[in-house]
Amino acid sequence: MFNIDLTVKNTAFPLSVQRKTSEDAEAVYQLVLAAMRSGTPDIIELKCEGKTEKKIAVRASEISGVQVSQKDGAAAAGRTPGFFTATVE
């Protein structure tokens, strides 16, 4: 399962939906990226494949970041979810 997390301006927590395949997750990522680049206040509606009753709608102009991560593999590989990992030695 793949998570697509959207960071929205002036919102403390990300919005997320899930896709079952990496191809579907990449398609959603590209859709959101194209909407962010357009700069128009269009609304993006996304449905979750993990929780079928979950739907989100957000203005493209309010999205400040998008991230794709593999739900079950990220923690097992020792990577923390997020846009970057900082380590102090």
Side-chain angles (χ1 to χ4, degrees):
M1 193 66 69
F2 292 85
N3 283 345
I4 300 98
D5 299 316
L6 305 177
T7 304
V8 180
K9 297 174 186 174
N10 301 316
T11 303
F13 57 91
L15 303 174
S16 64
V17 293
Q18 296 175 332
R19 290 293 182 267
K20 294 179 183 175
T21 66
S22 62
E23 293 82 14
D24 290 345
E26 181 66 23
V28 172
Y29 175 81
Q30 291 300 328
L31 171 81
V32 172
L33 200 59
M36 289 171 64
R37 286 183 176 146
S38 74
T40 61
D42 293 337
I43 300 218
I44 298 173
E45 292 183 78
L46 300 171
K47 294 180 182 179
C48 188
E49 289 182 357
K51 297 178 181 176
T52 55
E53 71 282 355
K54 182 178 178 181
K55 296 187 274 186
I56 63 171
V58 64
R59 283 187 196 267
S61 60
E62 294 299 309
I63 300 171
S64 60
V66 61
Q67 170 186 321
V68 177
S69 61
Q70 191 170 3
K71 185 176 179 182
D72 51 13
R79 296 186 308 259
T80 57
F83 286 96
F84 66 91
T85 302
T87 57
V88 178
E89 294 182 27

